[in-house]
Amino acid sequence: MGVREKNAWAMLVIAVAGVALYLTLLAVNLDGGSLTGVSYQPLMLWTIGLGITAGIVVHITLSIRLGLAGESQEADERDLQIERFGTNVGQAFLVIGGLAGLLMAMAEWDWFWIANALYFGFVLSAILEGTAEVVAYRRGVPW
Amino acid sequence: MVKPTTVTHQIRALRFEHGEMTQADLGRQIGMTRQTVIAIEQGRYSPSLETAFRIAQVFGIPLDRVFQYNQGATP
């Protein structure tokens, strides 16, 4: 498995773990009340911060390990093609999340729903992008 | 669904004819990773035209002796 494929796997695992952690924290803080009553801001910000930090740590660790093993870390044309494919697949959820947030804001929904629509747009985009990349590395790009 | 390629090649045989060249060696000479050479050999990736020419150049033979297009096959 090449460095780019390992990175795609790591990003996918981090994205799934991040959203699982956020939903767990939301459920713990729900305490029988309504979702909009939960102080979601620190939970969301901490989850996003942890995800970004984990991504950086994994990337640095992989780079050091492969550097020590003398393996190339440069992307070749296949890596770039798979990356483009992943971005195209993930992009759809970014648009859906943004559009959902926009419509909710226009309809004056609670800020909780607007923030979460945007958050899930980002997260689902990352999960879909990671999944598409991992599948493309395993089975090839579908064109 | 991944589209099956109708392009066949002789890369594996050519590697062995050229002093049992490893996939990593071929990858280094064409500027690709070993994983990409494996993907090309297994038919999971069709290289660009430029890479195909580079592969032929490594083996010192024309492109059509490395890659063949199977016209009769369904794409």
Side-chain angles (χ1 to χ4, degrees):
Chain A
M1 200 188 287
V3 62
R4 301 275 161 169
E5 189 177 348
K6 280 182 186 154
N7 219 41
W9 270 108
M11 292 303 128
L12 177 59
V13 170
I14 290 168
V16 172
V19 75
L21 177 67
Y22 175 65
L23 288 175
T24 308
L25 291 173
L26 264 189
V28 168
N29 283 273
L30 192 59
D31 206 24
S34 76
L35 268 174
T36 49
V38 177
S39 176
Y40 67 93
Q41 297 92 332
L43 309 180
M44 189 182 280
L45 290 174
W46 271 107
T47 313
I48 292 171
L50 279 173
I52 292 170
T53 310
I56 293 170
V57 168
V58 166
H59 188 75
I60 291 173
T61 310
L62 275 177
S63 298
I64 291 172
R65 279 184 57 190
L66 289 162
L68 290 173
E71 273 196 54
S72 169
Q73 293 171 47
E74 277 181 43
D76 61 21
E77 64 177 36
R78 175 169 161 262
D79 293 316
L80 296 176
Q81 210 177 80
I82 289 174
E83 198 179 304
R84 262 200 306 274
F85 170 62
T87 306
N88 287 345
V89 171
Q91 202 105 45
F93 273 88
L94 271 186
V95 175
I96 291 169
L99 212 60
L102 196 71
L103 291 173
M104 287 170 174
M106 285 175 178
E108 298 183 3
W109 281 36
D110 192 283
W111 290 342
F112 172 89
W113 296 115
I114 298 171
N116 278 280
L118 295 174
Y119 171 74
F120 278 98
F122 282 120
V123 168
L124 290 176
S125 161
I127 291 173
L128 219 63
E129 185 176 331
T131 307
E133 286 186 10
V134 165
V135 170
Y137 271 115
R138 300 270 100 190
R139 304 190 55 191
V141 180
W143 59 67
Chain B
M1 196 63 183
V2 178
K3 201 164 66 177
T5 179
T6 53
V7 177
T8 57
H9 61 77
Q10 313 300 323
I11 297 173
R12 193 184 298 257
L14 287 163
R15 278 197 300 109
F16 282 97
E17 280 173 23
H18 285 75
E20 301 203 2
M21 184 190 291
T22 64
Q23 290 164 327
D25 281 341
L26 177 60
R28 255 192 300 278
Q29 291 187 64
I30 61 171
M32 299 284 146
T33 60
R34 187 173 64 87
Q35 287 75 25
T36 295
V37 173
I38 294 169
I40 294 170
E41 285 195 359
Q42 292 178 347
R44 285 188 288 116
Y45 178 66
S46 294
S48 67
L49 190 57
E50 197 176 332
T51 302
F53 271 109
R54 269 192 246 134
I55 293 170
Q57 205 168 42
V58 168
F59 296 124
I61 54 175
L63 185 67
D64 62 358
R65 280 197 50 212
V66 183
F67 294 95
Q68 294 80 39
Y69 180 60
N70 189 357
Q71 267 182 313
T74 314

